[in-house]
């Protein structure tokens, strides 16, 4: 285990436990927990959440969680993703393989396995596979953007040993407080340390090319809801992705949220106790419903 991964996991765990203290499963949510979608019963597991009383197939949201490539799982994201299900969706909340135990491109491969699992179990869990959306935050937004490139750019997909389900696409996605271009800032740079844990060769030029989202975005990239907030340390990353979306004529909505009294923190939308989180999540789900067929 790398020292940086341990420090990030300890710090993020403490913060998330404090944020989510007292949260309980909403009474209007039906949940199906700890479903294995791959071969690894520890890492490749997911939950499905549906609103009670809504029969038949529902549009789907897949959540690609954040955590600096080294932290996070479905349990941390259950409260946020159940709140999305309350807005009329079947939500898939999955855990994926993290660095340093596993390295790039394990998270993309796991997301691909989740999509294949969803397509195979659409009748069992009531998934409307004609209307599939995804959310990703922070490093999860990075992973989701790369997976969207994998789905929409054949040249990028050819660089990987796994293949996408034939014909599958997201109707739209939400990229929340994301990182899209990774730059090393010096010897003690946190991102550089994380990349050394995440990338098999520590961040060669070829590897950095592969994990720079904008290098492979095309006009087929799905419509995006791009969000950040006033206290987000990754706020400037919006300046990186927006010119490419504009250049490729990808439809998008841009939102910058601001706290009333103090700045909103990075990935504030995951805190279901915040009014601003409800506002953001309402807007994203409304955006998705605009792209339902």
């Amino acid at each position: 285990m790398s020292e940086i991964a341990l420090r990030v996991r300890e710090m993020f765990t403490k913060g998330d436990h404090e944020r989510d203290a007292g949260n309980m499963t909403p009474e209007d949510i039906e949940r199906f927990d700890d479903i294995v979608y791959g071969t690894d019963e520890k890492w490749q597991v997911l939950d499905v959440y549906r609103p009670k009383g809504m029969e038949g197939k529902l549009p789907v949201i897949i959540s690609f969680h954040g955590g600096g490539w080294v932290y996070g799982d479905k349990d941390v994201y259950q409260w946020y993703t159940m709140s999305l299900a309350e807005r009329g969706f079947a939500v898939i909340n999955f855990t994926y393989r993290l660095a340093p135990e596993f390295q790039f491109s394990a998270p993309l491969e796991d997301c691909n396995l989740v999509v294949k699992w969803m397509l195979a179990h659409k009748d069992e869990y009531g998934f409307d596979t004609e209307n599939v959306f995804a959310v990703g935050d922070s490093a999860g937004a990075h992973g989701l953007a790369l997976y969207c490139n994998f789905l929409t750019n054949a040249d990028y997909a050819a660089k990987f040993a796994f293949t996408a389900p034939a014909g599958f696409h997201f109707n739209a996605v939400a990229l929340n407080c994301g990182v899209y271009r990774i730059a090393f800032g010096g010897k003690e740079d946190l991102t550089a340390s994380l990349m050394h844990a995440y990338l098999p060769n520590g961040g060669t030029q070829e590897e950095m090319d592969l994990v720079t989202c904008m290098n492979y975005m095309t006009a087929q990239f799905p419509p995006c809801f791009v969000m950040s907030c006033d206290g987000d340390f990754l706020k400037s990353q919006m300046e990186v992705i927006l010119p490419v979306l504009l250049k490729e004529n990808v439809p998008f909505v841009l939102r910058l949220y601001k706290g009333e009294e103090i700045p909103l923190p990075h990935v504030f939308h995951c805190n279901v106790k915040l009014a601003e989180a409800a506002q953001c999540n309402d807007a994203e789900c409304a955006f998705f419903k605009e792209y339902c067929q």
Side-chain angles (χ1 to χ4, degrees), residues 90-169:
V91 177
I92 299 175
N93 170 28
F94 74 100
T95 295
Y96 57 84
R97 290 172 293 167
L98 298 172
E101 290 91 341
F102 303 91
Q103 295 177 305
F104 184 79
S105 56
L108 273 64
E109 183 174 4
D110 287 355
C111 187
N112 198 54
L113 287 172
V114 168
V115 170
K116 290 182 176 181
W117 179 90
M118 173 196 68
L119 295 172
H121 294 84
K122 62 182 180 181
D123 295 328
E124 183 178 354
Y125 292 98
F127 298 138
D128 178 359
T129 55
E130 297 299 313
N131 293 293
V132 182
F133 306 90
V135 294
D137 63 278
S138 196
H142 175 258
L144 176 57
L146 292 181
Y147 185 66
C148 289
N149 287 341
F150 171 80
L151 293 175
T152 57
N153 185 329
D155 290 338
Y156 190 65
K159 297 178 183 293
F160 300 93
F162 52 96
T163 57
F168 176 76
H169 69 281

Side-chain angles (χ1 to χ4, degrees), residues 155-213:
D155 290 338
Y156 190 65
K159 297 178 183 293
F160 300 93
F162 52 96
T163 57
F168 176 76
H169 69 281
F170 291 121
N171 296 49
V173 299
L175 303 176
N176 298 314
C177 301
V179 55
Y180 310 110
R181 175 180 292 153
I182 298 164
F184 293 170
K187 183 177 180 180
E188 302 301 323
D189 180 69
L190 174 61
T191 301
S193 298
L194 291 170
M195 286 300 100
H196 288 316
Y198 183 48
L199 299 175
N201 296 309
T204 64
Q205 187 60 49
E206 181 180 5
E207 287 176 326
M208 297 309 294
D209 175 73
L210 276 177
V211 299
T212 299
C213 305

Side-chain angles (χ1 to χ4, degrees), residues 8 20 38 44 55 74 96 109 114 161 186 224 248 272 287 292:
V8 168
D20 296 333
Q44 294 173 323
E55 303 298 328
K74 66 182 182 63
Y96 57 84
E109 183 174 4
V114 168
C224 296
E248 299 296 340
V272 296
F287 176 77
C292 279

Side-chain angles (χ1 to χ4, degrees), residues 8-21 71 76 271:
V8 168
R9 289 179 183 181
E10 290 173 0
M11 178 174 62
F12 286 10
T13 296
K14 182 176 183 293
D16 287 344
H17 283 177
E18 291 175 353
R19 179 194 67 193
D20 296 333
Y71 168 81
V76 173
N271 185 351

Side-chain angles (χ1 to χ4, degrees), residues 205-275:
Q205 187 60 49
E206 181 180 5
E207 287 176 326
M208 297 309 294
D209 175 73
L210 276 177
V211 299
T212 299
C213 305
M214 289 70 62
N215 290 351
Y216 297 95
M217 294 177 73
T218 70
Q220 283 68 51
F221 198 89
C224 296
F225 189 110
V226 182
M227 181 276 284
S228 184
C229 63
D230 52 346
D232 181 14
F233 68 92
L234 292 175
K235 180 173 63 174
S236 63
Q237 287 280 323
M238 289 197 299
E239 301 171 7
V240 173
I241 194 172
L242 293 182
V244 184
L245 296 175
L246 287 167
K247 177 178 178 292
E248 299 296 340
N249 293 311
V250 175
F252 68 88
V253 167
L254 172 66
R255 294 286 174 86
L256 180 70
Y257 290 89
K258 185 176 181 179
E260 288 190 8
E261 298 181 2
I262 59 174
L264 293 169
H266 181 63
V267 301
F268 74 95
H269 67 295
C270 292
N271 185 351
V272 296
K273 299 170 184 174
L274 288 178

